[in-house]
Amino acid sequence: MPVRPVTITGEPVLHRRAAVVTEFDDDLRTLVEDMYETMDAAHGVGLAAPQIGVGLRLFTYEFTNDDGVPPRGVVINPSLTLSKISGADPDPEEEVEGCLSVPGLSYPLKRAEWARVQGFDVDGQPVDFEATGWFARVMQHEYDHLDGKLYIDRLNDRWGRRARKHIKNEGWAKEGLTWMPGVDPDPFGH
């Protein structure tokens, strides 16, 4: 399966709601395998279909967790139920998040500590599990992509200003920019 280019903020598919998956077929299986390959090559803990230019509601993940959930999986047409998100400022050492579509940047962000994830696997079978801590963060991050949101859209004013300035300085926020995992330098230094 081929590794696909990762879209960078500004690509329209990243900033609009993705479409519901209606066909659980070989094309979907191929897409999921490509997403796993791309996620692995990029050293990511998750990858949403819009991040490889496909506007469909699914994401893959690779995250060892304490919740009894397989550490590698796919969730198609997910829904999330979240615990309350604290109104406190995010901890700049403990709550730092990054994104393959905002390569090389990381900023503090508050997320819910618990999430219930429901959806389907690649064969159309129901998926239903709870995620806590960082695993819950991964689920929220990837789910946001399906609604056209990047983590930088959720930053508080202080960190949001820094992110917007950095994105402007990089020349991003325009259509057509990608990076290729396994070919281009790893923006997170893995």
Side-chain angles (χ1 to χ4, degrees), residues 5-8 11 176-180 184:
V6 174
T7 58
I8 295 175
E11 186 64 31
L177 299 178
T178 63
W179 70 278
M180 190 64 171
D184 294 328

Side-chain angles (χ1 to χ4, degrees), residues 96-174:
V96 176
E97 203 165 306
C99 179
L100 298 175
S101 290
V102 189
L105 300 185
S106 299
Y107 292 101
L109 176 64
K110 275 287 184 202
R111 293 276 193 184
E113 287 293 317
W114 175 89
R116 180 176 181 191
V117 181
Q118 296 173 289
F120 300 91
D121 68 14
V122 73
D123 297 314
Q125 297 303 307
V127 171
D128 189 345
F129 60 86
E130 294 181 11
T132 60
W134 271 94
F135 188 40
R137 178 179 292 271
V138 171
M139 297 296 103
Q140 293 166 77
H141 180 110
E142 298 310 326
Y143 182 84
D144 274 354
H145 279 297
L146 308 182
D147 284 341
K149 289 185 173 68
L150 301 178
Y151 86 102
I152 56 173
D153 298 326
R154 294 194 178 275
L155 298 175
N156 67 22
D157 288 342
R158 174 185 177 197
W159 299 109
R161 279 191 306 274
R162 289 184 187 189
R164 286 187 298 278
K165 182 177 180 181
H166 195 119
I167 288 166
K168 181 180 179 184
N169 290 342
E170 289 291 334
W172 298 339
K174 60 184 176 185

Side-chain angles (χ1 to χ4, degrees), residues 1-6 30-43 47 51-52 100 179-184:
M1 301 296 138
V3 172
R4 298 198 191 185
V6 174
T30 299
L31 172 61
V32 169
E33 288 303 317
D34 289 356
M35 289 174 65
Y36 282 133
E37 291 291 324
T38 304
M39 180 179 69
D40 293 346
H43 306 285
L47 184 72
Q51 292 184 275
I52 59 168
L100 298 175
W179 70 278
M180 190 64 171
V183 175
D184 294 328

